[in-house]
Amino acid sequence: MSRSKEGEGIERDKLQQMVAESDTGGRKPTGLVATVLMLVALAWSAFQLWYASPLPFALGIFVLNDTEARAIHLAFAIFLSYTAYPAFKRSPRAHVPLLDWVFALAGAFCAAYLFLFYEQLAGRPGQPTTTDIYVAVAGMLLLLEATRRALGLPMVIVASVFLIYTFAGAYMPEMIAHRGASLAKATSHYWLTTEGVFGIALGVSTSFIFLFVLFGSLLDKAGAGNYFIKSAFALLGHMRGGPAKAAVVSSAATGIISGSSIANVVTTGTFTIPLMKRVGYRPDQAGAVEVSSSVNGQIMPPVMGAAAFLMVEYVGIPYTQVIKHAFLPAVISYIALFYIVHLEALKANLQGLPRRSQSTLAQRLIAFVMTVAGFIVLSGVVYYGIGWIKDAFPAAAFNIVVALLLAAYIGLVWYSARQPELELDDPNEEVFELPETGPTLKSGLHYLLSVVVLIWCLMVEQLSPGLSAFWATMFMIFILVTQRPLIALFRGHGNFGAALRRGFAELVDGLVTGARNMIGIGVATAAAGIIVGTVSLTGIGLVMTELVELISGGNLMVMLLLVALISLILGMGLPTTANYIVVSTLMAPVVVELGAQSGLLVPLIAVHMFVFYFGLMADVTPPVGLASFAAAAIARTDPIKTGITAFFYSMRTAILPFLFIFNTQLLMIGISGWFHLAVTVVSATVAMLVFAAATQGYFLVRSRWYETIALFVVTFTLFRPGFWWDMIYPPFEHTAPAALMKIIEDKPANASLRMWVEGETIEGDQFSKGVLVPLGPKVPARERLRAAGFSLMMLGEDVSIGPVAFGSVAAKLGLEAGFKVTGVELPVERPAKEWMFIPALVLLGLIVLLQRGRAGRKVPAAA
């Protein structure tokens, strides 16, 4: 037994080392060096909190513009990359070699160059000096090495290929050739402007991502991660295949606060994978369930592996809209995974884990209903109560709300302190009992207050994401410092000094860990800026469009499959953030342009979600999925087999992008009311469950081949009823553009304009394409067009595009001044396409009857 325990301890240490190597840096020096690294990480967190706070403007001290803040942000990231990440596997972990100190200081200086010499650089734009070029070249090389250490070779290889393309453009094959760029022009573009390394991606990392990662780190240090895991086990562990279901739910909850797939796997998988194996799941299945659950955390709002914040800038919509569009696909994907593990449990007749005490079904239902009713009542009281306070006491509203928040916090800590201290048993012990449901759920309710503060600031007060995360983080800092002294007080333990010191120690640990978690994201967004800079410098985006168009032969589905495959390949080995920057920069314009030429007019967010999902599938796909390696290490099985099983489980995530490209209602776009919303949510959920049953070959009993085909037909119809309905009722009618201004004027708020334009490419070729222009609030037509970033020129019956604002929605849609408007598509009055749900549900009912008959007779079905 002792040897077994010793082996498990060694295995756990290896897993923690794997997380460190991937997320926070595998080097752990001691003594003065450890103190220096801790203080640098602490200083980075303090700088980011200062930059996000209202204090610089209120006090007029250390006010930074975006470029200066990005330079400081990258300087911290590069310095910590060299000091926290060893150069090679054999490099020392216990101390930092002298050469690494040199690289760290040189890299930090090159990154901070834009901050240190901002005024001089601003005085000579586009005219770099010899020193500027030397610094830029050194900075690029040091950034690439820092990226290799923190993220591995894939990102460096991708960035290097684009650099080679920049300089060797004249020697490339004719189709992708360009004039090339001089060293001065290229280095200036990449390093001394905001078009390359210091572009939008690094800006989002500086403004938004750091604060959310820091918030998640503090929430985890406070004990929320452990609370989510224990709660999931307490609620679900007793069900069929209970540990697998607990893995799905706990990974979803952990994914909300974590931006790392591998950290999610190790955090939750240490408990879930051994218990899944215990109840009968194969080792590769246990690992695959955890991998699929953890990777799906990257598509779960509000963080989405930091891609959500980049979408705000790239798509040009508010953060709250990104969350709204991403929510339903993420939820139904998790529901489907939950159902998959249930089907696996049914097929193998697996059971759950024993509870410490038993309660009747009626008691559990009453407790559930009372809990839900309590949350609804509490939410209503909070929402309308604060609204009333703001109306009744406008001057003192902030102070009153803060006082009520503190009172709620103290009350919930008091309530938590009355519960026994609960810890999960060792999952490797022979006897494992689930924690008590009631005490477990009550033991950490105060953690949810910080999430409430975040959501309130985002959704109700409509503050910026950075400021919302700042206030939520400040509240988490308050919780970390005070929760242990309060619990000691309410439990009568005394020794408040020790409790307070522990609280401050956890706070410092959370601030340091949050900064170290950001090292990889910081250098990833900077390195991805090389790809973005290459696209703007060389025009390779147009080349990618032509290449995909040539290979696909103009076929829309082939084009989408090609884009999906390229996104999958580009995403291999890249972290979520860099992954999204690369695929959105290269592949999103391809879908927009070629789709528009084929009549596929979809909102930009749908296109970006499409490429993001497929880039993310690379996290699962062997042979580079690190999450699969971590899960396989815990499950003690083959990582390739685990990755293949996880990819099979993740097929539900792979079909979603194709579906919401053609049915944007899955992204909550075009929903006309509460009933329509309910129909969309229910139909999408049922469709995903039916798809899971079809791919598993098991519904109520094992499915026959024709039942599986029928289940796929039901899935397709529920997800995309318009495919059949458009054959009967054309959805749009073509109208001449002469009345375009009146059409825009009459469109309801937040509607879209389907408009066809024709123009001429750089090569002189004529083309025609459609665009879907978002119109925003219902205001006069000229204001709506101005908000979209363009104007119209009316010459009799002819209508053409006027000046297009740089970086506007119109520019992102590919509109240019001089394009001729050839027509407008208006929706046709027709019966709702949801009528197609009726035959689909009838077919599903027939399958249910067939399988229930077989289940009743207990006759084994043919596979």
Side-chain angles (χ1 to χ4, degrees), residues 207-219:
S207 303
F208 303 152
I209 298 174
F210 192 105
L211 268 295
F212 278 85
V213 170
L214 182 60
F215 173 72
S217 173
L218 294 175
L219 199 56

Side-chain angles (χ1 to χ4, degrees), residues 657-681:
F658 286 100
L659 296 168
F660 58 58
I661 276 283
F662 291 103
N663 181 12
T664 54
Q665 287 177 1
L666 295 174
L667 299 177
M668 303 288 195
I669 296 172
I671 303 294
S672 57
W674 283 104
F675 179 74
H676 193 190
L677 174 64
V679 169
T680 301
V681 172

Side-chain angles (χ1 to χ4, degrees), residues 411-659:
L412 287 175
V413 172
W414 171 80
Y415 191 55
S416 300
R418 297 179 62 196
Q419 313 306 320
E421 294 188 43
L422 297 172
E423 290 294 335
L424 273 174
D425 295 341
D426 186 340
N428 295 293
E429 290 289 349
E430 292 184 9
V431 178
F432 180 95
E433 288 186 333
L434 296 172
E436 295 279 4
T437 305
T440 301
L441 294 178
K442 296 170 186 174
S443 66
L445 291 174
H446 59 287
Y447 298 131
L448 302 180
L449 277 180
S450 57
V451 181
V452 169
V453 169
L454 176 64
I455 294 172
W456 182 274
C457 290
L458 282 170
M459 301 294 191
V460 180
E461 300 296 336
Q462 295 189 350
L463 302 179
S464 70
L467 196 54
S468 300
F470 168 76
W471 289 118
T473 302
M474 294 308 293
F475 187 63
M476 268 312 306
I477 289 173
F478 174 75
I479 288 177
L480 269 168
V481 172
T482 60
Q483 68 167 348
R484 297 205 178 276
L486 285 173
I487 290 172
L489 172 67
F490 294 138
R491 286 182 174 162
H493 291 169
N495 203 357
F496 302 116
L500 190 62
R501 285 193 298 274
R502 184 178 174 187
F504 272 106
E506 288 174 342
L507 170 60
V508 171
D509 192 17
L511 292 171
V512 171
T513 303
R516 292 186 66 142
N517 281 336
M518 272 300 300
I519 299 171
I521 296 176
V523 295
T525 50
I530 295 173
I531 290 98
V532 178
T534 302
V535 171
S536 61
L537 186 62
T538 65
I540 191 177
L542 295 173
V543 174
M544 292 296 296
T545 302
E546 293 173 4
L547 187 63
V548 172
E549 183 179 22
L550 178 68
I551 297 172
S552 66
N555 184 285
L556 184 61
M557 282 307 299
V558 175
M559 181 270 290
L560 289 174
L561 286 168
L562 271 174
V563 170
L565 180 62
I566 295 170
S567 298
L568 187 65
I569 294 169
L570 286 172
M572 282 190 176
L574 301 187
T576 306
T577 314
N579 177 330
Y580 170 67
I581 297 168
V582 172
V583 297
S584 64
T585 302
L586 290 175
M587 303 316 301
V590 174
V591 179
V592 171
E593 188 64 30
L594 297 184
Q597 293 178 24
S598 304
L600 176 67
L601 309 186
V602 293
L604 271 176
I605 184 65
V607 176
H608 279 255
M609 290 281 284
F610 180 90
V611 296
F612 170 60
Y613 266 54
F614 277 104
L616 199 59
M617 286 297 290
D619 276 5
V620 183
T621 311
V624 294
L626 279 178
S628 297
F629 281 84
I634 301 172
R636 299 180 183 178
T637 187
D638 178 27
I640 301 298
K641 187 177 181 182
T642 303
I644 292 170
T645 308
F647 186 81
F648 185 68
Y649 287 164
S650 299
M651 283 174 61
R652 73 208 185 284
T653 308
I655 69 158
L656 276 173
F658 286 100
L659 296 168

